[in-house]
Amino acid sequence: MNDMKYLVKVSQFVNKTFALWVIIFGILGFIFPEIFKLVGPYVPVLLGVVMFGMGLTLTLDDFKRILTQPLMVVVGTVAHFVIMPLVAVLLCWIFRLDGPLAVGVILVGCCPSGTSSNVMSYLSRGDVALDVSIGILSTLCAPFMIPLLMQWLASQYVTVPVESLFLNAVKVVLFPIALGVICHAIFKEKIEKVTVALPIVSQVAILLIIGVVVAANGSKLFVASSLLAIPVVILHNLCGYALGFGFSKLMYKVYPKGFRYAQQKAITFEVGMQDSALGATLALSSFASNPLAAVPSTFFSVWHNISGSVLSSWWREHDDKHQIHPDSDNGEKGSAAKASEAGDAVKDESEETVNA
């Protein structure tokens, strides 16, 4: 029991400082490339472990939730697969990226949303259930959407191995998740005792993948052409947040009942944050002759954890400062005070009824 509590504490610490750990493993991959190259052939297995862990945490209720609020989940998923790939193409054109780097930027743009978005949505007081539902649906759609979008958007830079992308995505996404869900359904409570260790296992697997990406590129990583990917990745992520929030605000006008303030936060993070570990894995496996294609995913992994933490913290402080209730309609200032007054009024009315 104490060991499990220790694992939880370690996982929470690593999660809070994940961006720092990404940098550390990147440095280790650069200094000790031969060690990390030994891990290279096992990158798909590592990501499969991450996805299997995700499957172990899922229940039938998680899938039922998608059916109970299908409009928001489907709209959020569509927004993710439209906004991020198109922004990636636009940024490649603006910065005149070419070859493997352009392919890498577009590939990370075509990936589903990352699990980090669930944490950021929670920290910002967003709709975590909606966030998780969009994440599940976008991940399940990934094996089909990634090859389709890459063929459409990236074939101008390199020949896109559509079949390889599809098969690799199925192997490292669908199969492990399905196996995890089946194991959870069969073993139930026994699995729940193990799930406390899953976050740290997933975190270590992702860090090893990042080390492999850096080791595979070595000296190519810090030349001017590669470093150009850094501002592109930063803008890609920030544009995702801005357009995701703007899109959810627009949808509020269309369907105010579903796209309220908490849902707007969830969609913002779901659109702007990507499964960069999947992007790096697919780049290394399907574009093995051009490992530079995995570099944008590595940069993205560092940056979106930093930006997500900053945005979620700012959002909480902003809401507290302006007394915005987490469940307000559209982020109205003073809504928290009004909700408190309404609660007090109901309480007083109940007490009067009891006394009477």
Side-chain angles (χ1 to χ4, degrees), residues 52-59 62 180-181 184 191 195 198:
F52 175 70
M54 177 182 176
L56 283 178
T57 63
L58 298 178
T59 64
D62 292 310
V181 172
H184 193 155
I191 288 294
T195 53
L198 292 177

Side-chain angles (χ1 to χ4, degrees), residues 22 25-31 33 209-219 221-222 295 298:
V22 170
F25 270 73
I27 293 172
L28 291 174
F30 184 76
I31 298 174
I209 292 171
I210 289 166
V212 170
V213 172
V214 174
N217 288 285
S219 58
L221 195 61
F222 297 105
V295 169
T298 302

Side-chain angles (χ1 to χ4, degrees), residues 115-240:
T115 53
S116 297
S117 62
N118 302 340
V119 178
M120 303 310 169
S121 184
Y122 169 75
L123 293 175
S124 67
R125 303 189 187 112
D127 188 337
V128 179
L130 175 62
D131 196 291
V132 172
S133 298
I134 294 174
I136 293 171
L137 184 59
S138 66
T139 300
L140 294 177
C141 290
F144 308 96
M145 293 303 299
I146 292 174
L148 180 67
L149 290 169
M150 287 296 291
Q151 176 63 24
W152 180 39
L153 301 173
S155 57
Q156 58 181 309
Y157 300 106
V158 297
T159 300
V160 177
V162 176
E163 184 177 348
S164 173
L165 275 173
F166 173 73
L167 293 176
N168 285 324
V170 168
K171 284 190 290 186
V172 301
V173 176
L174 286 189
F175 283 172
I177 288 178
L179 183 60
V181 172
I182 293 170
C183 288
H184 193 155
I186 295 173
F187 298 105
K188 297 179 181 177
E189 290 82 5
K190 294 180 181 178
I191 288 294
E192 291 174 3
K193 295 178 181 179
V194 180
T195 53
V196 294
L198 292 177
I200 190 65
V201 172
S202 298
Q203 289 158 349
V204 170
I206 292 171
L207 291 172
L208 287 172
I209 292 171
I210 289 166
V212 170
V213 172
V214 174
N217 288 285
S219 58
K220 297 179 185 176
L221 195 61
F222 297 105
V223 297
S225 57
S226 299
L227 292 175
L228 187 59
I230 294 178
V232 172
V233 161
I234 291 173
L235 286 172
H236 193 187
N237 171 240
L238 296 181
C239 287

Side-chain angles (χ1 to χ4, degrees), residues 9-19 21 200 203-204 207:
K9 289 182 179 179
V10 171
S11 178
Q12 290 173 343
F13 172 74
V14 173
N15 190 56
K16 290 178 181 177
T17 57
F18 192 71
W21 286 104
I200 190 65
Q203 289 158 349
V204 170
L207 291 172

